[in-house]
Amino acid sequence: MIAMENVYKTYPNGVTAINGIDVTIDQGEFVYIVGPSGAGKSTFIKLMFREEVPTKGNIVINNRNLAKMKWKEVPLLRRDIGVVYQDFKLLPKLTVYENVAFALEVIEETPRNIRRRVMQVLDQVGLKNKARFIPDELSGGEQQRVAIARAIVNHPKLLIADEPTGNLDPETSWEIMRILEEINASGTTIIMATHSKEIVNTIKKRVIAIEGGLIVRDEHRGEYGYEI
Ligand code: ADP
Ligand code: ADP
């Protein structure tokens, strides 16, 4: 479902963040992206939902060629991709319910079906009883669960998570991982950049290590492989 072929990304300031990457990721995989700071992990991830455009090479996601994609086609691509960030990025003035409903593509849906779907995903992340809260009234782990609910409300085939546990304590991080594993078990591909040695070495998945804009290691049930 994801294929990168000879991909390069050089930023306008001349920094080459991705330096010739070839990789394929199948539907339903769970992949950790690891590597030192500045290695190119965030850029690698941003290329997948066209937050950045490759300087060279081909990227195919869900049968769409991102390198040839026109700007007006980008929203269609992103409908199939959920994204979760380290700092949650919730809308602070909206309630939990509204934050999730807002992301729902409301194409010819009845208000009743919209409500049903929003409550269904809030239930999935264990926050049905906090639908009327605003983000400030929630713990960090709860805010991340809202962000996950928002990311999956449109049933994306791919969920991208950029250090989703980076701001959370260990116990809360394991809760988030349990939710991500459940989402993966239902068939959604998950790509997760992380600096957590504990998580990668405990919940074994495919590990892709990036250094200097290149894939230096790609292992099934791999190890984190760095000291911090
Ligand atoms: P990581 O996520 O592994 O820390 P990044 O993809 O953020 O790596 O960064 C890779 C390299 O690209 C770094 O040298 C970084 O400074 C540079 N970089 C990242 N984003 C930009 C940008 N928008 N403009 C210019 N350089 C950038
Ligand atoms: P943490 O232990 O992660 O710091 P908090 O102590 O902030 O979490 O929150 C514990 C519980 O109290 C959470 O379920 C959260 O939803 C609730 N809570 C925190 N602040 C408020 C608030 N201002 N109004 C209502 N509920 C709150």
Side-chain angles (χ1 to χ4, degrees):
M1 72 160 321
I2 299 173
M4 289 200 185
E5 208 179 84
N6 201 29
V7 170
Y8 290 77
K9 173 65 188 180
T10 301
Y11 284 108
N13 65 355
V15 173
T16 296
I18 296 296
N19 210 358
I21 278 188
D22 288 279
V23 71
T24 60
I25 295 170
D26 292 331
Q27 180 65 44
E29 281 200 77
F30 193 129
V31 184
Y32 294 121
I33 309 297
V34 304
S37 285
K41 303 182 295 296
S42 292
T43 304
F44 178 75
I45 274 180
K46 285 176 182 167
L47 287 167
M48 289 185 201
F49 58 102
R50 231 205 190 226
E51 179 91 0
E52 295 292 348
V53 182
T55 312
K56 191 181 153 203
N58 272 320
I59 304 178
V60 177
I61 313 263
N62 297 332
N63 298 316
R64 293 195 177 91
N65 190 337
L66 272 61
K68 291 185 181 138
M69 186 169 281
K70 300 188 183 89
W71 278 110
K72 65 169 192 202
E73 297 173 80
V74 171
L76 214 58
L77 166 83
R78 292 196 186 149
R79 199 174 292 176
D80 279 343
I81 304 176
V83 186
V84 174
Y85 301 91
Q86 178 171 3
D87 59 355
F88 324 133
K89 296 197 194 297
L90 300 175
L91 296 167
K93 292 192 172 139
L94 299 189
T95 65
V96 165
Y97 182 93
E98 290 162 346
N99 263 281
V100 177
F102 184 74
L104 193 60
E105 291 289 340
V106 282
I107 331 142
E108 293 170 21
E109 268 304 353
T110 63
R112 190 185 158 162
N113 282 344
I114 291 169
R115 183 166 175 80
R116 182 188 298 158
R117 176 60 188 153
V118 173
M119 291 315 285
Q120 187 185 19
V121 279
L122 286 179
D123 192 25
Q124 197 177 341
V125 300
L127 285 178
K128 219 164 99 178
N129 59 346
K130 301 225 162 141
R132 292 173 186 278
F133 285 51
I134 59 166
D136 265 355
E137 296 170 335
L138 303 179
S139 70
E142 288 171 330
Q143 290 186 52
Q144 191 58 295
R145 285 191 267 149
V146 177
I148 293 171
R150 177 183 61 184
I152 62 172
V153 73
N154 282 309
H155 301 284
K157 295 189 190 78
L158 170 62
L159 180 63
I160 290 174
D162 197 352
E163 297 203 38
T165 65
N167 281 342
L168 305 176
D169 58 47
E171 194 183 327
T172 310
S173 299
W174 293 117
E175 283 173 26
I176 294 299
M177 289 309 297
R178 190 182 48 74
I179 292 169
L180 293 181
E181 283 200 278
E182 273 173 27
I183 293 166
N184 178 240
S186 73
T188 307
T189 308
I190 298 194
I191 299 186
M192 169 175 158
T194 183
H195 282 289
S196 173
K197 181 181 175 179
E198 291 71 28
I199 289 173
V200 174
N201 289 351
T202 306
I203 307 175
K204 291 296 191 83
K205 306 287 182 192
R206 179 174 175 186
V207 176
I208 293 179
I210 296 181
E211 291 179 28
L214 287 167
I215 293 179
V216 294
R217 177 159 58 93
D218 183 353
E219 292 168 338
H220 180 62
R221 296 178 61 80
E223 293 274 331
Y224 182 67
Y226 300 96
E227 270 324 301
I228 48 156

